[in-house]
Every structure is written in structure tokens, then in C-alpha cells.
């Protein structure tokens, strides 16, 4: 509790309000008695706090369930629908967007195709269309959005500038944060897509509860995200996990084993070639199997290096190729067993292609908590 010797009653009310909001966000609708117990306050004190939060628009009373007999106890919930968050996954071939409430519950999703060599203006327009599609599906407007969180391909700096992007030439040396702030009248957050994917898998996916994780973001390009001590590891300059930049790791060109396999029919779209090879390997095509073996050989080099350095609890195979985990996972596990002093669990993602956009939503929720629901700042009145 706050020290009241200085008469800081407003500070005490703020701390009590934060405690109440955290309890409601973590548990859903609660009665006044249950809320008071969780917050460690008397029932009359909690009633004052709840009334103030209702006046500010942060909390509302939940109507009794239909058919409830007698006089039910009043229940209260955090108004997660008082604002919205948008997550965006900027990939080489697709832009995905999702809209959620303030608790991170996803309400709408859209996808816009885009070519890797599309001009900058065209790619930015695809982002705007993807976000607008989510707003239309959820019958909201951009004015209702509090924050847009973006996961992007490429190496980014701490200011949200893309300093390198092999997959999208137009992305290099781009002040992405600045461009998006010109497009959207709300807070804009930028993060590397592999780190957001790792966050999503640790929060909602197969790595939930694991404190040390190597997330392999495998698809038409290769990336990695690291969870250390239960937190996403960015590194000093936000470049942690970029092992594909090291030629000896053999990640940069690894997907070409699948993309250029002789089993792929002529005329197959480049973005579908690897999927065709993986499907053919699943069916026992010897040429495809050989291509997969070479691909996993390369994948295992960089993965083993990270495992030996970090000694993680778990390695997660994620990204687009995780749909073919039945083809890849055992092969990867067998190669890691040859070189790793202690074998981590090796698991397949449960989020698949959604990992980045879901991670972007979780990233926005974290920033919301930090800005509004921490003791140093506290909840802001709704206008």
C-alpha cells in the first residue's frame, strides 16, 4: 500500500484501481466480494474503486445470466471493448492483419497478397488495405484503434528502421515506423517478425510455460527468435537471432534445396515450389526426399549452434514450413542429437502461419499494460 503520511490519497486510489483492473483482466467477470478479496481491500473500499472505474469507462457491470433466480450478486468486468489493437505481419508474399480488443482477443483477420519486388508504395497500400479490411469486418474505424503493432521481415533497429532486407529490396534503409505513423493516427510499434512469432508461441502455443526457447522461423526464408528467461531477447541493437547472416550457418540459401528440386513441375509458382517438394517427400518421392535431407542438413547447422550456446528447454519449428513438420521434425531431431550435448525438446508450432500476427497482438497488449496499467503511470480516463 502507498505511504499515506504525506496524504497521498490520490496515489492510493490509483494503486487500488490498478489492482482491480489487473484482477478483472486476469479472471474475467467477478463479484464485488471476489474482486475485493483478490485485491486485498475491504468491500466498501472496492465499491468506491469500482464506481470510479465505471465512471471512467474502464469497468462495467455484467448483466445477470438469463433465468437467474433471486437477486444475483453484481459482477464486473474490464471493458476490453473500449478500444482496439491491430497486429500486422509484413511478409514477402503476404500482408496479414488482425484486430483484437484490449485483452488481445482476436476479432477479425484479413490477408493481402503482395509480390516481393512490389514497389514501396504498393506494399504500403497493401498494408493499409489489410488493416482497413479488419476494421470493416469488425465494424470499427481507425479512430477506435489505440495501437498498431507490426512484425516485419528484415533486420530492424531500435527506432523501427529496416536496415537490411534480402527478401524485399524496397524495404532496405526504410524508416518503416515513420511511414506507418504517417498512415495511421495511433501508436505504431515495430518489431522483427521472428521475435513476435517466438513470443506468440511462448504465450499461446506449444512453448507456453517454457522459459528458454529457440524458435525456428522457417519458410521461403529463414529466421530465428529467442526466448531467454521467459522474455523475448532482442539484443543490444535489436539484432539477436540473425544467424542467417552468417554464411557458415548455411541458412541463407537452405530453402533453395526445396525451391529448385527437380520434382517441382515446370510452371509452378515460386512461392509454391517448396510446398510441392515437401508434399512429394511425404509421398516418398526419392528426389524430393533427397532435397529435404539437404535442406535439414543446412537447417541443423545454425540450429545446433544456437542450442549449444543457449541450452534451451525447447526448439520450436515454426513458420510456413511447420505445416510439414511430419517431414522435417524427426530429421532435424536426429541431426541435433549428433552434436548437442543436451537435447532440448523439439516441437512443431501450433500457430503455423498465424504466429507473427498473433505475436504482434500480444506485443501491443504488453505495451498497453506498460503504458496504462503500471504503478508509475496508471489508467488514463476515457474520452
Amino acid at each position: 500500500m502507498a505511504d499515506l503520511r504525506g496524504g497521498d490519497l490520490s496515489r492510493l486510489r490509483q494503486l487500488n484501481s490498478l489492482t482491480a483492473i489487473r484482477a478483472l483482466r486476469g479472471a474475467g467477470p467477478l463479484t464485488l466480494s471476489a474482486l475485493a478479496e483478490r485485491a486485498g481491500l475491504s468491500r466498501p473500499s472496492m465499491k468506491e474503486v469500482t464506481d470510479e472505474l465505471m465512471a471512467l469507462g474502464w469497468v462495467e457491470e455484467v448483466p445477470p445470466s438469463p433465468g437467474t433466480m433471486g437477486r444475483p450478486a453484481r459482477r464486473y468486468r474490464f471493458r476490453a471493448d473500449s478500444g482496439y489493437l491491430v497486429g500486422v505481419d509484413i511478409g514477402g508474399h503476404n500482408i496479414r492483419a488482425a484486430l483484437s480488443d484490449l485483452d488481445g482477443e482476436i476479432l477479425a483477420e484479413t490477408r493481402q497478397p503482395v509480390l516481393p519486388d512490389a514497389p514501396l508504395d504498393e506494399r504500403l497500400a497493401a498494408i493499409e488495405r489489410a488493416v482497413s479490411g479488419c476494421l470493416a469486418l469488425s465494424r470499427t474505424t481507425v479512430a477506435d484503434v489505440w495501437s498498431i503493432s507490426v512484425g516485419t521481415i528484415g533486420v530492424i533497429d531500435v527506432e523501427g528502421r529496416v536496415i537490411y532486407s534480402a527478401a524485399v529490396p524496397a524495404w532496405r534503409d526504410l524508416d518503416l515506423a515513420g511511414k506507418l505513423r504517417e498512415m495511421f493516427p495511433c501508436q505504431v510499434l515495430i518489431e522483427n517478425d521472428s521475435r513476435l512469432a517466438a513470443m506468440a508461441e511462448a504465450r499461446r502455443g506449444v512453448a507456453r510455460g517454457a522459459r528458454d526457447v529457440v524458435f525456428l522461423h522457417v519458410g521461403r526464408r529463414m529466421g530465428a527468435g529467442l526466448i531467454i528467461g521467459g522474455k523475448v531477447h532482442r539484443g543490444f541493437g535489436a539484432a539477436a537471432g540473425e544467424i542467417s547472416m552468417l554464411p557458415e550457418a548455411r541458412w541463407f540459401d537452405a530453402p533453395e534445396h526445396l525451391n529448385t528440386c527437380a520434382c517441382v513441375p515446370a510452371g509452378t509458382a515460386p512461392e509454391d515450389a517448396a510446398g510441392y517438394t515437401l508434399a512429394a517427400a511425404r509421398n516418398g518421392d526419392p528426389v524430393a526426399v533427397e532435397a529435404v535431407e539437404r535442406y535439414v542438413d543446412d537447417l541443423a547447422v545454425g540450429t545446433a549452434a544456437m542450442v549449444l550456446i543457449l541450452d534451451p528447454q525447447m526448439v520450436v519449428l515454426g513458420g510456413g514450413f511447420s505445416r510439414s513438420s511430419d517431414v522435417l521434425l524427426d530429421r532435424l531431431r536426429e541431426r541435433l542429437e549428433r552434436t548437442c550435448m543436451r537435447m532440448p525438446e523439439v516441437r512443431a508450432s501450433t500457430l503455423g502461419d498465424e504466429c507473427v500476427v498473433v505475436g504482434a497482438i500480444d506485443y501491443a497488449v504488453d505495451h498497453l499494460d506498460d503504458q496504462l496499467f503500471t504503478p508509475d503511470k496508471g489508467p488514463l480516463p476515457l474520452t
Side-chain angles (χ1 to χ4, degrees):
M1 289 297 178
D3 184 354
L4 298 185
R5 289 173 296 180
D8 191 6
L9 293 175
S10 63
R11 176 62 170 165
L12 177 61
R13 285 196 298 269
Q14 183 191 51
L15 292 174
N16 289 342
S17 297
L18 290 170
T19 302
I21 287 177
R22 288 196 196 97
L24 290 173
R25 294 189 79 194
L30 293 172
T31 65
L32 193 62
S33 296
L35 184 55
E37 181 179 356
R38 286 173 180 260
L41 299 173
S42 68
R43 197 175 186 279
S45 294
M46 182 51 68
K47 180 65 167 62
E48 291 182 10
V49 170
T50 304
D51 288 345
E52 183 177 356
L53 290 173
M54 289 179 66
L56 291 173
W58 288 108
V59 169
E60 68 179 2
E61 186 175 342
V62 178
S65 302
T68 302
M69 303 297 291
R71 185 179 179 182
R74 292 181 173 181
R75 296 185 304 149
Y76 301 89
R77 76 173 184 94
F78 171 70
R79 281 195 59 208
D81 57 353
S82 58
Y84 299 92
L85 308 171
V86 170
V88 181
D89 170 13
I90 303 176
H93 293 80
N94 289 289
I95 309 293
R96 297 176 185 271
L99 180 138
S100 80
D101 64 16
L102 299 182
D103 279 341
E105 181 180 351
I106 294 177
L107 308 174
E109 294 185 67
T110 60
R111 182 176 68 87
Q112 286 286 324
V114 63
L115 296 175
D117 57 355
L120 176 60
D121 289 346
E122 186 175 324
R123 183 167 289 270
L124 294 174
I127 295 171
E128 190 167 22
R129 288 195 303 272
V131 173
S132 296
C134 284
L135 297 175
L137 288 172
S138 57
R139 297 182 180 180
T140 58
T141 69
V142 71
D144 300 315
V145 176
W146 290 17
S147 179
I148 290 181
S149 173
V150 175
T152 181
I153 53 177
V155 181
I156 62 167
D157 64 17
V158 295
E159 302 298 327
R161 178 182 294 275
V162 182
I163 59 177
Y164 178 78
S165 176
V168 180
W171 234 224
R172 294 187 185 185
D173 299 319
L174 174 69
D175 180 9
L176 181 59
K179 287 289 185 182
L180 295 181
R181 289 183 184 117
E182 293 174 3
M183 295 167 57
F184 301 109
C186 62
Q187 181 186 54
V188 173
L189 308 170
I190 307 292
E191 183 53 281
N192 172 266
D193 56 354
S194 296
R195 282 195 284 272
L196 293 185
M199 173 184 284
E201 209 64 56
R203 298 280 180 86
R204 310 190 191 207
V206 71
R208 186 181 304 176
R211 295 187 57 78
D212 297 286
V213 179
V214 170
F215 178 87
L216 307 178
H217 198 181
V218 296
R220 287 184 291 268
R221 57 186 181 79
M222 310 281 282
L226 308 176
I227 305 288
I228 299 177
K231 297 180 179 180
V232 174
H233 183 66
R234 303 186 79 211
F236 180 78
E242 297 293 346
I243 197 167
S244 62
M245 301 293 291
L246 181 67
E248 289 80 2
R250 292 163 49 181
W251 271 25
F252 191 85
D253 295 322
E256 291 306 301
H257 296 302
L258 307 178
N259 294 333
T260 61
C261 180
C263 73
V264 178
T268 301
E271 61 269 25
D272 297 330
Y276 189 96
T277 301
L278 290 164
R282 180 180 296 111
N283 293 327
D285 184 309
V287 176
V289 168
E290 178 59 29
V292 168
E293 296 286 356
R294 292 196 300 271
Y295 170 74
V296 178
D297 282 342
D298 288 354
L299 174 62
V301 174
T303 304
M306 289 188 289
V307 169
L308 288 166
I309 291 170
L310 297 175
D311 185 27
Q313 176 181 344
M314 186 182 297
V315 171
V316 177
L317 183 74
F321 288 0
S322 65
R323 292 190 300 268
S324 298
S325 60
D326 59 320
V327 177
L328 299 173
L329 212 58
D330 286 344
R331 290 179 166 92
L332 176 61
R333 188 180 290 114
E334 185 270 332
R335 285 160 174 80
L336 293 179
E337 286 174 345
R338 299 177 193 170
T339 55
C340 296
M341 294 183 63
R342 190 199 65 80
M343 267 296 292
E345 294 181 69
V346 183
R347 306 281 295 276
S349 165
T350 55
L351 298 176
D353 290 346
E354 302 297 309
C355 57
V356 176
V357 76
V358 170
I361 291 290
D362 288 342
Y363 192 52
V365 171
D366 280 0
H367 274 260
L368 178 74
D369 289 346
D370 180 64
Q371 289 186 322
L372 302 185
F373 305 136
T374 61
D376 291 339
K377 297 176 183 179
L380 304 178
L382 296 180
T383 57

